[in-house]
Amino acid sequence: MMSDDRANAGGFQDQVKGAGEAMRASGQKMPDNSSSLGVAMIDQAQANAQEAFAAMRAAAQAKDLSDVMRIQGDYLREQSQRSMNQAREIGELIMKFGRDAVAPMQGGAKAG
């Protein structure tokens, strides 16, 4: 009976140790993922700024008001599409980071 208790305690300790290692592995991915997300957001902001300045340049060189209105409409339509694509990209990155963070813990749970 006493040896069964020791065996159970040892198994439990192994499971706790495995879970701790899995959590540590998961936590080590967070800085890399955060950095990737930050870079993606900066790239998106840069693209948005470049498009905005291109539209302002075009509007400044417009021949008449209808040309300005067309340029604005095109910019708003393109910006809307760009925003949806950017949101999808960020969402996909976040989902990938979540899967990457959970994977070590799932592997650790299966091993125990």
Side-chain angles (χ1 to χ4, degrees):
M1 190 74 154
M2 188 71 142
S3 64
D4 287 343
D5 290 343
R6 285 189 185 139
N8 288 339
F12 180 72
Q13 288 173 343
D14 289 344
Q15 288 178 342
V16 170
K17 182 179 178 184
E21 290 170 358
M23 290 178 73
R24 190 173 17 266
S26 177
Q28 288 173 345
K29 294 180 181 282
M30 290 178 70
D32 293 338
N33 291 343
S34 179
S35 176
S36 296
L37 183 61
V39 169
M41 293 174 75
I42 290 168
D43 288 346
Q44 290 178 357
Q46 181 178 3
N48 291 341
Q50 288 171 334
E51 292 300 323
F53 279 106
M56 286 188 278
R57 270 190 212 93
Q61 296 172 350
K63 295 178 181 75
D64 57 29
L65 183 58
S66 66
D67 214 15
V68 171
M69 298 301 286
R70 180 190 53 77
I71 291 165
Q72 276 186 326
D74 290 348
Y75 169 76
L76 290 173
R77 193 171 27 265
E78 291 166 4
Q79 181 58 37
S80 175
Q81 184 63 47
R82 198 170 25 258
S83 292
M84 287 190 305
N85 292 340
Q86 291 169 347
R88 184 174 28 258
E89 178 186 354
I90 295 298
E92 289 170 359
L93 279 173
I94 290 170
M95 287 188 333
K96 178 188 178 302
F97 300 158
R99 285 190 301 270
D100 289 351
V102 170
M105 291 189 285
Q106 288 176 333
K110 289 177 186 170

